[in-house]
Structures are given as structure tokens and as C-alpha cells.
Amino acid sequence: MSENCCYLQVGQDVPDFKLDTFEPTKGDFGEISLEALKAKKKWTILFFYPAAFTFV
Amino acid sequence: MGAEVITVSTDTKFVQLAWQREEKMLENVKYPMGADPTGKLARMFGVYDEETGLALRGTFIISPEGKLLNSEVNFYNMGRNIDELMRKFKANIHLAKHTAEGCPSKWKEEGDKTLAPSAKMVGKVYEAYEGK
């Protein structure tokens, strides 16, 4: 395990990030970035899960 | 519900496409599925398991200004309660508009009792909460 020195804590600003996505509503790939969500004044909820093909 | 919900795993977007198409339970999923194959984002949030290369069940709420407001992490074997996630989300919306207030543990939705911390309330939270 790496040291827990550098994880984000509640109250901190989240650095910008980008993710490749699969968008079920479009049936297509896409991209999402925190920067774009902030520009749209959107709240963001990140929901991490261990692996596809397992129970959620 | 007014938020962008992004599900994230360390799978690639190709696997996520395959899974969403194959699994009947995911037929109605409409959230973007984020791919974090290097674990970079999972590491940023402290949910990357170096032993397995998988992400723990972490849920994070980020404000429109980009501030991390809530964090919840469960081990692999425990699911999350969506009602509690919604409660936190609604409370954040309320608190963003009413910055001097606090949402106590029993706060569930708009209209429920909030508390405004003050010197007067120290040691008198019960009375303030019960309106006595």
C-alpha cells in the first residue's frame, strides 16, 4: 500500500481531471472533465466501484 | 436530480460498453461510465487498492466550484445506501444557499429543522433542536 499522505480530504479543492467514458444514453464513447462540469455549474457525484461484471 | 453522476472503475471504456450491453440489470443505466484504467483518479481519492488494481466503493460529492464536500468509502463487500447519498446531496444544496446553517444528522429534506451554530447554543443543542 502506498502511504496515505496525498489523498484528497473533504473541504479541499479537487484538481481538474479528465476521464474517457462510455455513455449509455448515447451508446457511444465520450469524455468528461471536472473543468467542463464546473463551467456548467454542475454538482458532481463520483461513484467508484471495483469492476465491471460484478455486482454494484 | 441536478447532479452529474459518474460511475468510475479501473476498467477500460470498452469493457464498460460490453458490460452495460450484456448485463440486463444495467439496461436502464443512464450515467456516464468513467474509465480509470491507470487508477490515477482512484488514487487521487484514496480508493485505489494497490494489491488488486481495483477501486474500493467510494462515493464523493463535489460542488459546482470544485470543492470536495463528502466522502464515503466502503470495502468491496458492502453496498451503498442511495437514500443516504441523496440526503447528503440535498443537504449540500441547502447549505450552499444557507451558509450560516448546519444540517443535523436527522435532516432529510428541504423544510426539515436546521441549526445555526452560535455561542448561545453551546451545550444547548438538544433544546435548539427540539425547539424548547
Side-chain angles (χ1 to χ4, degrees), chain A residues 11-12 14 20 43-44 48 52, chain B residues 4 11 35 58 60 62 66 68 80:
Chain A
Q12 292 179 334
V14 179
D20 282 339
W43 288 82
T44 303
F48 286 91
Chain B
E4 184 81 358
D11 298 293
F60 302 93
I62 303 169
L68 179 61
R80 280 159 281 192

Side-chain angles (χ1 to χ4, degrees), chain A residues 16-29:
Chain A
D16 279 323
F17 60 80
K18 255 188 207 150
L19 284 177
D20 282 339
T21 58
F22 169 64
E23 316 239 353
T25 49
K26 297 179 195 150
D28 201 0
F29 297 126

Side-chain angles (χ1 to χ4, degrees), chain A residues 41-44, chain B residues 1-4 89 93:
Chain A
K41 304 270 174 231
K42 281 269 206 178
W43 288 82
T44 303
Chain B
M1 73 184 197
E4 184 81 358
F89 178 63
I93 302 275

Side-chain angles (χ1 to χ4, degrees), chain A residues 1-2 7 50, chain B residues 10 39 42-43 46-57 75-76:
Chain A
M1 277 301 265
S2 63
Y7 302 152
Chain B
T10 54
R43 280 196 187 87
V47 293
Y48 189 76
D49 182 346
E50 300 283 347
E51 302 290 320
T52 60
L54 304 177
L56 296 164
R57 297 180 195 280
F75 197 56
Y76 300 120

